Amino acid sequence: MIRRIINIDEEKCNGCGACANACHEGAITMVNGKAKLLRDDYCDGLGDCLPTCPTGAISFVEREALAYDEEAVKANMKKKSETFGGCPGHRLQTFNRESSKNTAFAKDVKMPSHLGQWPCQIKLVPVNAPYFDGAKLLIAADCTAYAYAQMHNDFMRGKITLIGCPKLDDIDYSEKLESIIANNNIWSVTVVRMEVPCCGGLEYAVKRALQNSGKFIPWQVVTISTDGKILDK
């Protein structure tokens, strides 16, 4: 049958996962950091997911599709609830942290902070702050400092640190980051994000800011796993 159904433009999708969370039917899932329509018969065509997409990657199309199947949707949602499905960033996990032989020694070591400025939230930092002159920027997702134990020594040392969460802040960082990069002498940019799909929004914002700034600046992306390991660098 021909009916109205959503269409996802993968080129525009930044992997934030907002649409998957907004879809009450569980019709959208995240695959390799991109939103995917799981099954035609899961989509009711009402479009609760459309206004949540920050990049305009979702639209309606009229095409041949299976009819909406409410019973199939209920079965799918029940299965997901039993397996803690949905957005990977919401899945419950417990990590077995075995005590180290050096724990007693570690308690006596006072590690210095390497936060070089204040404020550090992307939303709050002034675009023309003097510390941006000649700065090496670290743009990090909020959760990385809690997941990765050596965040200060390995990433923050010698850098100006900006933090944010594209999922909770509900804001497009790209315009402000573009202004910071375009109007200051930035030497390099390092992005540290979590492996969960919603952190793709931070990486996407930085990439767009760099492209729109018109500058060629060395940059890299480092991904941290939910159990605190570096996945790629």
Side-chain angles (χ1 to χ4, degrees):
M1 63 181 295
I2 302 294
R3 71 179 184 94
R4 190 169 82 155
I5 196 167
I6 64 161
N7 180 69
I8 302 172
D9 185 338
E10 289 191 21
E11 292 298 318
K12 292 183 178 180
C13 177
N14 68 4
C16 71
C19 58
N21 291 332
C23 181
H24 300 300
E25 287 71 37
I28 301 175
T29 190
M30 304 303 297
V31 179
N32 297 325
K34 295 289 185 178
K36 299 276 189 182
L37 178 60
L38 193 60
R39 279 175 38 173
D40 287 359
D41 58 346
Y42 288 172
C43 178
D44 60 8
L46 295 179
D48 289 337
C49 53
L50 267 72
T52 66
C53 181
T55 64
I58 301 178
S59 59
F60 279 124
V61 295
E62 295 278 342
R63 66 170 174 83
E64 183 72 31
L66 293 173
Y68 173 64
D69 189 337
E70 186 174 358
E71 292 305 315
V73 168
K74 288 180 179 179
N76 178 52
M77 296 302 288
K78 183 175 185 295
K79 181 180 178 181
K80 288 176 70 174
S81 66
E82 291 172 349
T83 58
F84 296 101
C87 176
H90 291 175
R91 290 178 188 158
L92 302 181
Q93 299 179 65
T94 300
F95 308 119
N96 183 21
R97 307 294 190 190
E98 294 184 1
S99 298
S100 168
K101 294 179 181 179
N102 298 320
T103 299
F105 171 77
K107 288 181 179 179
D108 296 330
V109 177
K110 305 298 183 183
M111 301 299 294
S113 170
H114 290 289
L115 181 64
Q117 92 294 336
W118 190 265
C120 59
Q121 286 281 351
I122 298 173
K123 293 194 298 182
L124 302 179
V125 69
V127 169
N128 294 311
Y131 43 71
F132 284 135
D133 184 30
K136 297 178 179 179
L137 277 188
L138 170 66
I139 302 174
D142 291 354
C143 296
T144 55
Y146 295 95
Y148 187 68
Q150 298 299 317
M151 187 71 177
H152 278 250
N153 281 332
D154 291 358
F155 295 112
M156 293 172 62
R157 184 196 297 265
K159 294 184 177 69
I160 295 300
T161 300
L162 304 180
I163 64 172
C165 176
K167 188 166 188 173
L168 299 182
D169 286 349
D170 192 26
I171 189 175
D172 182 1
Y173 298 130
S174 59
E175 290 187 10
K176 184 163 191 179
L177 292 175
E178 178 189 341
S179 295
I180 291 172
I181 294 168
N183 295 303
N184 296 282
N185 180 27
I186 304 298
W187 286 6
S188 66
V189 177
T190 300
V191 180
V192 181
R193 54 162 292 185
M194 298 299 296
E195 64 175 321
V196 295
C198 51
C199 256
L202 184 66
E203 181 179 342
Y204 175 84
V206 174
K207 182 178 180 180
R208 200 165 88 177
L210 285 165
Q211 291 173 336
N212 293 341
S213 72
K215 292 185 176 181
F216 295 95
I217 299 173
W219 75 297
Q220 65 169 329
V221 179
V222 181
T223 303
I224 307 296
S225 68
T226 53
D227 62 348
K229 297 181 179 65
I230 295 179
L231 295 180
D232 54 60
K233 188 174 181 180

